[in-house]
């Protein structure tokens, strides 16, 4: 992201709360290109998604809030979903890596990972096609000892 887009991120964070917020008007008044405005909007939305996934659950209320901000930031539903899914997968993968860190993934950890996947709204393993940016997440088999 270039400096113009970075500066516009700060503007978006402040202005999206205003009931009079109109992205195109704000972009024009700050002399920001459409590409820089889109990069800034994606960054702001991804940051909101990171906050929503940070507790390991994306609630219905959080999804509604994200959808409202996504619309205000000019992101269509498909892009919003892709950003939220990618953010959720990153969070899940971090937890999976933590479970694998000691070389033993217990049944309790597997159960927690399955619950986390559900709370984040991720599809069951094998149901989502991997993307180049995010390979499939494969949970360990249930051949582990409990700690």
């Amino acid at each position: 992201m270039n400096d113009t887009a970075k500066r516009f991120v700060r503007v978006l964070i402040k202005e999206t709360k205003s009931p009079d917020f109109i992205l195109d008007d704000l972009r024009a008044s700050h002399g920001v290109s459409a590409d820089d405005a889109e990069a800034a909007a994606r960054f702001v939305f991804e940051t909101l998604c990171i906050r929503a996934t940070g507790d390991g659950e994306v609630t219905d209320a959080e999804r509604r809030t994200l959808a409202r901000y996504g619309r205000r930031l000019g992101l269509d539903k498909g892009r919003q979903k892709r950003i939220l899914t990618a953010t959720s997968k990153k969070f899940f993968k971090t937890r999976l890596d933590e479970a694998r860190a000691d070389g033993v993934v217990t049944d309790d950890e597997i159960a927690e990972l399955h619950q986390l996947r559900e709370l984040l709204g991720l599809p069951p393993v094998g149901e989502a096609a991997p993307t180049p940016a995010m390979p499939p997440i494969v949970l360990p088999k249930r051949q582990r000892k409990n700690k």
Side-chain angles (χ1 to χ4, degrees):
M1 181 179 332
N2 64 34
D3 290 340
T4 302
K6 288 177 185 176
R7 284 191 299 276
F8 197 58
V9 164
R10 289 190 291 275
V11 172
L12 285 177
I13 290 169
K14 178 181 175 190
E15 296 296 328
T16 53
K17 297 173 187 172
S18 167
D20 300 326
F21 174 82
I22 299 174
L23 180 62
D24 287 336
D25 292 348
L26 190 64
R27 181 183 68 75
S29 69
H30 283 79
V32 175
S33 72
D35 288 344
D36 288 341
E38 183 180 340
R42 281 193 320 264
F43 180 84
V44 169
F45 189 75
E46 184 175 341
T47 301
L48 292 170
C49 290
I50 290 168
R51 293 180 105 189
T53 59
D55 63 356
E57 178 178 10
V58 182
T59 65
D60 289 340
E62 288 170 325
R63 288 180 190 282
R64 286 190 300 273
T65 299
L66 288 170
R68 185 175 64 249
Y69 274 98
R71 282 190 305 273
R72 297 191 84 184
L73 292 167
L75 302 172
D76 63 41
K77 288 180 182 182
R79 183 167 298 238
Q80 291 175 41
K81 183 176 180 176
R82 286 189 298 276
I83 293 170
L84 178 57
T85 299
T87 304
S88 296
K89 284 182 177 182
K90 287 177 191 174
F91 183 83
F92 181 86
K93 186 172 181 329
T94 298
R95 294 297 185 254
L96 178 60
D97 291 345
E98 289 171 0
R100 290 177 170 163
D102 63 1
V104 177
V105 180
T106 66
D107 286 339
D108 289 343
E109 288 171 322
I110 291 170
E112 289 171 12
L113 289 166
H114 280 290
Q115 182 180 18
L116 176 63
R117 179 196 49 76
E118 290 175 11
L119 291 172
L120 291 172
L122 296 172
V125 174
E127 287 189 17
T131 64
M134 180 56 70
I137 295 172
V138 180
L139 290 177
K141 295 191 182 335
R142 291 191 167 268
Q143 303 174 11
R144 311 295 189 254
K145 298 177 188 174
N146 278 329
K147 285 185 179 180

